[in-house]
Amino acid sequence: ETKRNFKIFETSLFKKNSNFKNHKLTEVKAIDWQRARLWAQQFAMEADPPMNSTAIIQMAKQMHSSDNLFMLYDSRNFPCAMAGFGRFTDHYSVINLVYVPIDMRGLGIGKELIIRMTSCARKLGYKECLLFSEWMGSKNLYKDMGCKILGRYAEYDLV
């Protein structure tokens, strides 16, 4: 039996960061699908405990096929982060697969990705987004950004 603990966060209004004004968020293009697939696999492997890579890649593929998988591109048009909308409820869009490559972490890219995804969701008519985080350490990106903790839940793999 594998147990995975999550915190559930709700986004708030974020101010745009002028350091990223030349970055753009766009749907994952066919040419970048292999990179998105690799990042989905890395996302799964970095989880503690690791997630099922095949299932996470399938989720990314479904988001991609429904135009709900996005990459943040820098000023040189180089992809530097990925996230997608996993599902939508009446009031929320759920942001999943938030991934920043290891060599780009700590630069504010993850925060900018969440800001852009939240803005995109608002344009689609959603007031707030939900984010799930397994990170139980003291420094949590979503908490540090000012997202509100709505609760916690545990997921069990019964094998």
Side-chain angles (χ1 to χ4, degrees), residues 40-83:
Q41 184 177 24
Q42 289 173 328
F43 175 91
M45 292 176 3
E46 288 180 16
D48 185 22
M51 296 177 169
N52 179 324
S53 292
T54 303
I56 298 300
I57 291 168
Q58 184 61 34
M59 182 171 69
K61 189 174 185 178
Q62 287 174 316
M63 284 189 263
H64 178 54
S65 67
S66 62
D67 298 327
N68 286 319
L69 187 62
F70 298 85
M71 281 191 180
L72 183 66
Y73 296 84
D74 67 15
S75 59
R76 300 165 297 153
N77 206 32
F78 185 78
C80 56
M82 175 180 78

Side-chain angles (χ1 to χ4, degrees), residues 80-98:
C80 56
M82 175 180 78
F85 294 119
R87 67 187 192 94
F88 300 92
T89 69
D90 289 342
H91 303 287
Y92 294 101
S93 57
V94 179
I95 300 173
N96 291 114
L97 282 178
V98 175

Side-chain angles (χ1 to χ4, degrees), residues 106-119:
L107 304 173
I109 292 170
K111 180 178 180 179
E112 185 64 21
L113 177 64
I114 299 303
I115 290 169
R116 300 283 179 110
M117 290 295 291
T118 301
S119 176

Side-chain angles (χ1 to χ4, degrees), residues 88-142:
F88 300 92
T89 69
D90 289 342
H91 303 287
Y92 294 101
S93 57
V94 179
I95 300 173
N96 291 114
L97 282 178
V98 175
Y99 185 78
V100 178
I102 291 171
D103 60 333
M104 296 183 186
R105 294 179 188 167
L107 304 173
I109 292 170
K111 180 178 180 179
E112 185 64 21
L113 177 64
I114 299 303
I115 290 169
R116 300 283 179 110
M117 290 295 291
T118 301
S119 176
C120 182
R122 286 204 170 93
K123 289 176 185 170
L124 293 172
Y126 296 90
K127 292 181 181 177
E128 303 294 341
C129 297
L130 292 180
L131 296 150
F132 295 78
S133 177
E134 288 183 76
W135 181 252
M136 296 299 163
S138 60
K139 296 283 287 173
N140 183 290
L141 171 65
Y142 308 146

Side-chain angles (χ1 to χ4, degrees), residues 5-58:
N5 291 304
F6 293 91
K7 292 179 186 173
I8 306 168
F9 290 89
E10 178 183 71
T11 59
S12 32
L13 291 172
F14 301 118
K15 294 180 182 177
K16 293 201 177 189
N17 185 337
S18 61
N19 294 341
F20 295 94
K21 64 183 174 193
N22 294 323
H23 285 59
K24 63 181 179 176
L25 183 73
T26 61
E27 295 168 3
V28 170
K29 304 168 192 134
I31 196 167
D32 282 323
W33 166 245
Q34 287 304 324
R35 181 184 312 275
R37 186 182 185 287
L38 175 65
W39 284 358
Q41 184 177 24
Q42 289 173 328
F43 175 91
M45 292 176 3
E46 288 180 16
D48 185 22
M51 296 177 169
N52 179 324
S53 292
T54 303
I56 298 300
I57 291 168
Q58 184 61 34

